[in-house]
Amino acid sequence: MSRQAFFPESYPQHPKTPRLFWASPQSIDATGPWLVWSEAPSPELAASLARSGVLSPILVDASQEPVLLVDGLGRLRAGHDQVLCLDVGPLSPQGRLECHLAANFHKPRTEARLVTAARSASTLGMAWDDTLALLAVHPHSKTARLLAAWLALPASWDQWIVRGHACLAVAPILAKLPPDDLTALTPVVAAYAWSQASLAQLVSWLQETAQRTEQPLRDLVSCLGIEAAGQLSPKDAMARILEAARRL
């Protein structure tokens, strides 16, 4: 058999054929805003890499310096001296996000993943219809409407849906609140994992009391006894806060 059969790299490559190469993890920039569904390496992945090495390449855009990571953060962080790279560039920032999401299409479309991807797409200037298509969300669906409402909130609120302290269903209610009221609610949302019904009821009672008494919402929140409720179980604490809001 010829040497060419043993060494496929000797075949002439099509100009658009992605290039495989080895690189040190330190030479790769893994801070791109398109890395929205990246995860830290699991113990199982780290053990597999230690045992068998890198069996599938990470995706990079090597069209500039430093090389930009497109997908494979877990393998990159768990790698040692060298990591196998597949150059899918050159790509625009939007293209890197599209490639990153395509590489992770097998992951469940949780609310947290939808929000982080949609926020990144918005930051990168991607058209709304293109974003929804990328996320496999129908433009006239309830999910699309809730996502649009959530993106009207400050980006700092995304952490609460990622942590499970809020859900997409309350986005239309929260989006109607002025910035000062959102800021006032932050300690309450940060403390507990609220259900849709509980958080909606809490906001409704606070708004009604604020309108009736002409008090700012931040003053009402200070009367909920959040610190005292912290001595209770999360379930009992949320029940006490809701009861305090009802009695205002």
Side-chain angles (χ1 to χ4, degrees):
M1 188 176 291
S2 68
R3 183 179 184 279
Q4 191 178 46
F6 282 105
F7 299 96
E9 68 272 12
S10 62
Y11 284 111
Q13 287 191 326
H14 187 278
K16 293 185 179 180
T17 300
R19 178 173 63 98
L20 277 170
F21 64 96
W22 292 89
S24 67
Q26 294 75 21
S27 67
I28 299 173
D29 183 346
T31 61
W34 49 83
L35 298 171
V36 291
W37 289 357
S38 294
E39 298 170 353
S42 65
E44 293 78 11
L45 174 60
S48 174
L49 289 172
R51 181 175 58 253
S52 306
V54 179
L55 300 178
S56 58
I58 64 173
L59 305 183
V60 300
D61 184 347
S63 61
Q64 62 185 64
E65 291 291 341
V67 173
L68 302 174
L69 181 68
V70 175
D71 186 63
L73 182 63
R75 280 164 288 161
L76 178 69
R77 288 182 175 173
H80 299 289
D81 295 335
Q82 296 286 301
V83 61
L84 185 62
C85 304
L86 179 65
D87 182 9
V88 294
L91 294 171
S92 66
Q94 294 179 3
R96 293 173 198 134
L97 174 63
E98 183 174 356
C99 188
H100 173 78
L101 296 182
N104 291 275
F105 200 81
H106 61 285
K107 293 181 178 179
R109 294 300 199 265
T110 62
E111 290 189 349
R113 288 196 176 112
L114 290 176
V115 165
T116 54
R119 181 76 70 181
S120 179
S122 175
T123 301
L124 295 174
M126 185 176 289
W128 180 239
D129 287 346
D130 292 339
T131 299
L132 294 177
L134 198 58
L135 297 175
V137 174
H138 193 281
H140 302 298
S141 66
K142 179 181 179 181
T143 300
R145 294 193 297 273
L146 293 177
L147 265 179
W150 188 273
L151 292 186
L153 298 173
S156 60
W157 270 73
D158 293 356
Q159 63 179 309
W160 306 130
I161 206 165
V162 169
R163 296 182 185 182
H165 287 211
C167 58
L168 271 181
V170 298
I173 298 172
L174 297 175
K176 294 178 182 178
L177 297 177
D180 287 348
D181 287 355
L182 280 175
T183 300
L185 276 176
T186 298
V188 185
V189 178
Y192 303 103
W194 295 88
S195 68
Q196 170 192 348
S198 295
L199 186 55
Q201 186 64 79
L202 176 65
V203 174
S204 176
W205 280 335
L206 289 173
Q207 284 183 305
E208 290 174 3
T209 303
Q211 292 174 357
R212 185 180 71 251
T213 63
E214 297 184 351
Q215 289 181 271
L217 193 139
R218 65 176 179 274
D219 291 349
L220 297 177
V221 168
S222 67
C223 298
L224 296 179
I226 298 173
E227 292 185 4
Q231 306 300 318
L232 306 173
S233 70
K235 181 179 179 180
D236 290 343
M238 287 186 283
R240 175 175 289 190
I241 291 171
L242 281 170
E243 179 62 18
R246 188 185 66 83
R247 292 184 175 185
L248 286 174

